Amino acid sequence: MTDAAPFRASVLTLYPEMFPGPLGASLAGEALNNGLWSLEARNIRDHGIGRHAKVDDTPAGGGVGMVLRADVLAAAIDAASPAGDMRPRLLMSPRGKVFRQGDAHELVAAGGAVIICGRFEGVDERVIAGRSLQEVSIGDYILSGGELAAMALLDAAVRLIPGVMGKSESGHDESFEHGLLEYPHYTRPRDWEGQSIPEVLIGGDHAKVARWRREQAEALTRERRPDLLDKRGRLV
């Protein structure tokens, strides 16, 4: 790996051994080995308090669970992202803005990110404001921690780095790139268990193929993701 990859990801976690995990395989792993991006997993506990490196405490006002301390997390963020580091600071959180395809493109343009993986009941609210953290979610469900969410976010971004996918046009027609879900795909054999490839796809008329794919993408979007459409049924 080169010393200075163009896309830098710093992940702050209590479980650095979880990384690179899936990010070390397939396209992301090959790109990592080839120096197209870099990944460092930093242990928040390195900045813990006292002999036992304490990182959490009971919630103010009472309640179950524990909360990551502001002073500990701030120290970890400052070490990973010193003054002059312009990468966005993202906190994986179920209450955050849902991460979308456009956000993945923005991360690539920003040259990477500092990603904080929450645990327990959450993090002290003061560090979110004090270190300008952007809360990001990958969906309306709860995970045990932010690590898997961070991996999903990074995989979505890394595959967009120039040179990671074999052909630059590979991602052009994917779901969400144009506000639509992707059209259906087919390949050999031509007939399988009584089902045939649509005739338009094997007729050789590229204009008809393009029109069919657009119509299929629009129909799938209306059926499965109406939230991507405006109130008049038009694409947002």
Side-chain angles (χ1 to χ4, degrees):
M1 190 185 304
T2 61
D3 292 334
F7 183 100
R8 295 171 48 235
S10 300
V11 179
L12 278 56
T13 172
L14 292 173
Y15 299 96
E17 66 273 14
M18 294 180 68
F19 292 86
L23 297 172
S26 191
L27 287 176
E30 184 176 350
L32 187 63
N33 290 331
N34 290 336
L36 295 179
W37 72 294
S38 68
L39 171 67
E40 59 170 352
R42 303 175 69 104
N43 197 336
I44 296 171
R45 200 171 295 279
D46 289 343
H47 303 274
I49 305 298
R51 185 160 59 94
H52 298 291
K54 188 174 178 61
V55 299
D56 58 351
D57 215 321
T58 55
V64 298
M66 303 292 280
V67 177
L68 279 171
R69 293 174 55 122
D71 51 355
V72 171
L73 194 50
I77 293 169
D78 293 344
S81 180
D85 186 350
M86 302 303 294
R87 293 176 296 166
R89 297 170 173 178
L90 309 180
L91 171 63
M92 305 311 303
S93 166
R95 73 179 195 180
K97 173 190 172 186
V98 175
F99 186 80
R100 301 192 183 280
Q101 187 71 5
D103 300 316
H105 283 283
E106 289 182 7
L107 286 187
V108 174
V114 178
I115 305 175
I116 297 92
C117 300
R119 280 274 163 177
F120 315 125
E121 290 301 309
V123 309
D124 190 306
E125 190 73 18
R126 294 170 293 181
V127 76
I128 298 176
R131 292 299 181 271
S132 301
L133 306 185
Q134 303 173 39
E135 295 185 74
V136 178
S137 169
I138 62 166
D140 296 340
Y141 46 86
I142 306 298
L143 299 172
S144 299
E147 287 78 13
L148 293 178
M151 291 176 190
L153 179 151
L154 284 173
D155 186 76
V158 166
R159 62 193 303 278
L160 300 176
I161 297 172
V164 172
M165 288 191 282
K167 296 180 180 179
S168 60
E169 63 268 23
S170 295
H172 181 73
D173 289 330
E174 292 180 324
S175 293
F176 311 115
E177 284 293 343
H178 305 286
L180 293 171
L181 300 184
E182 193 171 4
Y183 51 78
H185 291 279
Y186 299 87
T187 187
R188 295 182 179 87
R190 180 169 177 172
D191 298 294
W192 178 77
E193 294 189 354
Q195 300 182 73
S196 299
I197 296 175
E199 195 66 30
V200 65
L201 299 180
I202 54 179
D205 189 323
H206 297 296
K208 288 184 178 180
V209 169
R211 184 165 57 252
W212 179 89
R213 286 175 170 171
R214 176 74 183 190
E215 291 170 350
Q216 291 292 311
E218 291 178 353
L220 280 171
T221 303
R222 290 192 173 92
E223 174 189 347
R224 301 180 183 179
R225 289 297 303 275
D227 56 297
L228 297 178
L229 309 175
D230 65 19
K231 293 182 179 179
R232 294 167 294 176
R234 298 175 182 174
L235 298 172
V236 176

